[in-house]
Amino acid sequence: MSERFLVTGGSRLSGEVSVGGAKNSVLKLMAAALLAEGTTEITNCPDILDVPLMADVLRGLGCEVELAGDVVRIATPAEPKYHADFAAVRQFRASVCVLGPLVARCRQAVVALPGGDAIGSRPLDMHQSGLRLLGAHSTIEHGCVVARADDLHGANIRLAFPSVGATENILMAAVLAKGETVIDNAAREPEIVDLCNMLVQMGAKVGGAGSSTLTIQGVRRLEPTSHRVIGDRIVAATWGIAASMTRGDVRVRGVNPKHLGLVLDKLSSAGAEVTPETDGFRVVQRARPRAVNFATLPYPGFPTDLQPMAIGLATIADGTSMITENVFEARFRFVEEMIRLGADARTDGHHAVVRGISQLSSAPVWSSDIRAGAGLVLAGLVSEGVTEVHDVYHIDRGYPRFVENLQALGGGIERVGTEPTDAR
Ligand code: UD1
């Protein structure tokens, strides 16, 4: 029997919680280690399953990887292998971020296609067209994306959409290409800035990090480095939204509050007292949250990864909220599960209209992805009775010690089913 969470509604979250390194950064930083022969050390790694899974992908490419607490050491050989097979990548989509580094280092890459998932189809066309402009020949063959380049050269690349993954793959190929590459309409997420910072430490020449134009002067070789992963803004914001929903008082540490500017503004609009601090923020919500509208957009817009939590907040807010999903086409599927909890919610295309009610009512619900699962747990915390959240392995992929952290804040949650497995 797979594990599930029993969430008892009615508690008010209070206390302090620390977040670890960002999931969406650490995996790309691990892939970037492929770019330099020698040992790269990454610290503040989160204790989530995707880290050892990525370690396996890198081992399959010839690296030696050591995981010790929150430190990952990757020893990259002079000549990495260039084939990341399906067995290694099928378990998590982010493994596709080895594509750019492999093309750069080996001048060829064969990376199995991970396929779509619960939030949308997730094509790789922009990754491929960017690599083509850098001089690679890229096709899809036998379920793999294949890229080969006799010569990688700089290019002007304008992305049709500021895709996080495409920006990362093109950037990691361009750092070892000949000449200058300009990526226009690049993604500006803090995790991209984190990657740029690590690449610069390795000797890459990258300008414009955090803006929508990245300028890269290719260099002949990079050196290994030591780098600390930025704090996970999505996990941090999850706790902030949970504080607001439960009328709680929570201090979150380990994250740069500037990475959550718009999210914290939205919580203020919902009536929370939000105090940014040097290494985090505090959210105090004294009365029922007010309804707020949300539209997900690439950074610095409202993160699509927090849309399920925004829906959770809207379900019990005073008033009607309009939530617009602009990034992933299928990301409203989990709303059916919210409706099981009594939410007054309706979706139409990429819009959801949610009329807040004063309390949800517990029911069994199923997680379909990491963030939907977390959103359902938050909804369980404000439901009358005990909500059973199933398929919680999704939540464990993105949230280290999720249950323990919520319990420490006074949340009524326990894990039942088979014994928890150690992710390392
Ligand atoms: C990353 C994050 C994910 C987050 C998302 C948007 C990781 C491991 N995951 O995913 O948590 O929700 O950014 O902030 O970092 N697209 C194309 N063609 C492409 C590439 C993307 O059409 O070649 C589309 C996607 O289908 C999606 C949109 O662009 O609709 C955004 O995707 P993208 O920014 O690439 O997200 P990921 O990097 O996959």
Side-chain angles (χ1 to χ4, degrees):
M1 182 193 226
S2 71
E3 292 177 351
R4 61 198 195 283
F5 294 162
L6 300 183
V7 185
T8 306
S11 47
R12 180 176 176 269
L13 298 189
S14 75
E16 192 172 301
V17 60
S18 289
V19 301
K23 163 185 160 300
N24 286 353
S25 204
V26 67
L27 305 174
K28 326 307 172 61
L29 303 179
M30 289 175 74
L34 284 166
L35 289 165
E37 180 187 347
T39 303
T40 289
E41 184 181 80
I42 302 170
T43 59
N44 198 34
C45 296
D47 186 7
I48 51 172
L49 186 61
D50 283 11
V51 170
L53 288 177
M54 188 64 182
D56 284 343
V57 170
L58 295 178
R59 287 187 188 110
L61 295 169
C63 301
E64 282 173 27
V65 188
E66 182 194 321
L67 309 175
D70 73 350
V71 180
V72 175
R73 277 184 209 91
I74 301 158
T76 301
E79 290 183 14
K81 295 177 193 153
Y82 61 86
H83 190 158
D85 66 20
F86 190 65
V89 311
R90 79 187 159 90
Q91 304 193 62
F92 72 120
R93 273 199 56 85
S95 52
V96 80
C97 65
V98 298
L99 181 63
L102 288 179
V103 177
R105 261 319 280 299
C106 313
R107 295 297 192 247
Q108 55 185 334
V110 180
V111 180
L113 281 169
D117 61 20
I119 63 175
S121 63
R122 308 187 84 167
L124 295 176
D125 54 317
M126 283 189 265
H127 301 237
Q128 286 187 283
S129 56
L131 294 179
R132 283 188 195 116
L133 287 167
L134 293 176
H137 177 73
S138 181
T139 51
I140 304 287
E141 290 170 27
H142 310 295
C144 296
V145 50
V146 178
R148 289 199 177 83
D150 295 332
D151 183 35
L152 273 190
H153 52 74
N156 288 330
I157 300 169
R158 183 185 300 274
L159 297 179
F161 183 91
S163 152
V164 171
T167 302
E168 291 163 341
N169 263 328
I170 297 166
L171 167 67
M172 288 195 273
V175 287
L176 289 179
K178 270 186 220 138
E180 180 178 277
T181 298
V182 177
I183 310 176
D184 258 327
N185 201 22
R188 301 165 59 188
E189 270 68 5
E191 293 76 22
I192 303 263
V193 178
D194 203 21
L195 175 61
C196 289
N197 287 341
M198 175 163 147
L199 293 171
V200 168
Q201 282 162 224
M202 294 170 83
K205 298 204 168 119
V206 182
S211 79
S212 51
T213 305
L214 289 176
T215 306
I216 302 128
Q217 307 289 342
V219 295
R220 286 175 65 85
R221 56 178 283 132
L222 295 175
E223 299 300 329
T225 191
S226 178
H227 183 83
R228 182 181 166 84
V229 187
I230 57 165
D232 197 311
R233 64 194 166 103
I234 304 299
V235 173
T238 301
W239 302 136
I241 296 172
S244 171
M245 288 173 69
T246 62
R247 299 184 209 183
D249 177 352
V250 173
R251 174 172 263 138
V252 184
R253 294 210 183 273
V255 70
N256 182 346
K258 293 196 181 103
H259 295 167
L260 285 165
L262 186 61
V263 177
L264 298 182
D265 286 353
K266 288 286 176 185
L267 288 179
S268 299
S269 304
E273 290 161 30
V274 180
T275 319
E277 298 177 342
T278 332
D279 183 34
F281 57 89
R282 181 177 175 192
V283 174
V284 183
Q285 179 90 41
R286 297 181 199 281
R288 183 177 174 192
R290 289 192 291 270
V292 181
N293 295 334
F294 297 90
T296 69
L297 283 170
Y299 191 84
F302 190 85
T304 174
D305 285 348
L306 290 174
Q307 181 255 97
M309 297 66 159
I311 297 254
L313 180 66
T315 62
I316 46 90
D318 188 6
T320 299
S321 308
M322 166 87 90
I323 290 119
T324 307
E325 173 56 60
N326 291 308
V327 182
F328 286 108
E329 82 261 3
R331 210 158 197 177
F332 279 140
R333 281 187 197 150
F334 79 98
V335 172
E336 291 302 319
E337 299 299 301
M338 290 282 188
I339 291 171
R340 254 179 216 278
L341 294 171
D344 183 351
R346 186 171 294 201
T347 61
D348 184 3
H350 62 126
H351 298 292
V353 177
V354 184
R355 285 191 193 84
I357 58 174
S358 55
Q359 194 178 34
L360 300 172
S361 142
S362 61
V365 290
W366 276 260
S367 312
S368 49
D369 71 89
I370 300 172
R371 311 301 171 189
L376 289 168
V377 170
L378 266 45
L381 290 172
V382 291
S383 297
E384 184 272 316
V386 179
T387 294
E388 270 188 33
V389 182
H390 294 262
D391 292 345
V392 299
Y393 57 90
H394 288 296
I395 304 174
D396 291 331
R397 305 271 313 244
Y399 292 85
R401 293 181 300 285
F402 184 79
V403 167
E404 293 77 1
N405 279 320
L406 256 184
Q407 283 171 341
L409 294 173
I413 181 167
E414 58 178 308
R415 182 190 292 269
V416 293
T418 52
E419 285 300 304
T421 49
D422 185 349
R424 301 208 165 204

